[in-house]
């Protein structure tokens, strides 16, 4: 499992001109799932995201987590994170999990984030989405479960 975490002061996802998920301060998380990912991978990444110290304290150092700043999460499924661009000009998506399996793991991941006390908004799995956000810092991290 692979996630791209981007610190955001505002983020929203729109499907067919309807806002389906929107947050204020927190993180925008793009979530990619591969064939052999499990609920354990999702739980590991949820725990990691909740506790990453990527928000500034009073001294301007990144010492606060999402829980410390009462941050929110906008979680968006992103199978293209497993696009392989090494050969040719068209990415190969063979490493991305099949949609039904990926959706189950994605939903489990979002549930785990909520169980850890976070407000989580999402896009719509498999839909064509427009995502807008303001990256603060900028702070962008890639975290993998394996």
């Amino acid at each position: 499992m692979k996630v791209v975490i981007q610190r955001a002061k505002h983020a929203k996802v729109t499907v067919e001109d309807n806002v389906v998920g929107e947050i204020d301060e927190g993180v925008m998380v793009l979530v990619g799932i591969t064939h052999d990912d499990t609920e354990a991978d999702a739980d590991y990444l949820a725990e990691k995201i909740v506790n990453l110290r990527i928000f500034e304290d009073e001294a301007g150092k990144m010492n606060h987590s999402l829980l410390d700043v009462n941050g929110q999460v906008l979680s968006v499924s992103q199978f293209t994170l497993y696009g392989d661009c090494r050969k040719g000009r068209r990415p190969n998506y063979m490493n991305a999990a099949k949609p039904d399996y990926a959706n189950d793991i994605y939903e489990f991941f979002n549930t785990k984030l909520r169980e850890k006390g976070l407000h989580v908004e999402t896009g719509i799995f498999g839909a064509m989405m427009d995502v807008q956000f303001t990256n603060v810092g900028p702070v962008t991290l890639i975290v993998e479960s394996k």
Side-chain angles (χ1 to χ4, degrees), residues 40-55:
D41 294 294
D43 190 36
Y44 169 81
L45 286 174
E47 182 72 22
K48 181 66 78 173
I49 289 166
V50 166
N51 292 297
L52 274 176
R53 297 182 338 186
I54 61 171
F55 295 90

Side-chain angles (χ1 to χ4, degrees), residues 110-140:
N110 293 323
T111 297
K112 284 301 187 183
L113 288 171
R114 289 181 182 108
E115 286 175 359
K116 294 176 189 313
L118 296 177
H119 176 84
V120 179
E121 297 276 327
T122 67
I124 296 176
F125 187 90
M128 180 61 75
M129 296 176 271
D130 293 333
V131 179
Q132 298 175 327
F133 71 102
T134 302
N135 188 332
V136 179
V139 173
T140 300

Side-chain angles (χ1 to χ4, degrees), residues 81-92:
L81 289 178
Y82 279 100
D84 185 347
C85 300
R86 291 177 290 182
K87 291 184 179 179
R89 296 183 182 197
R90 179 177 298 147
N92 173 328

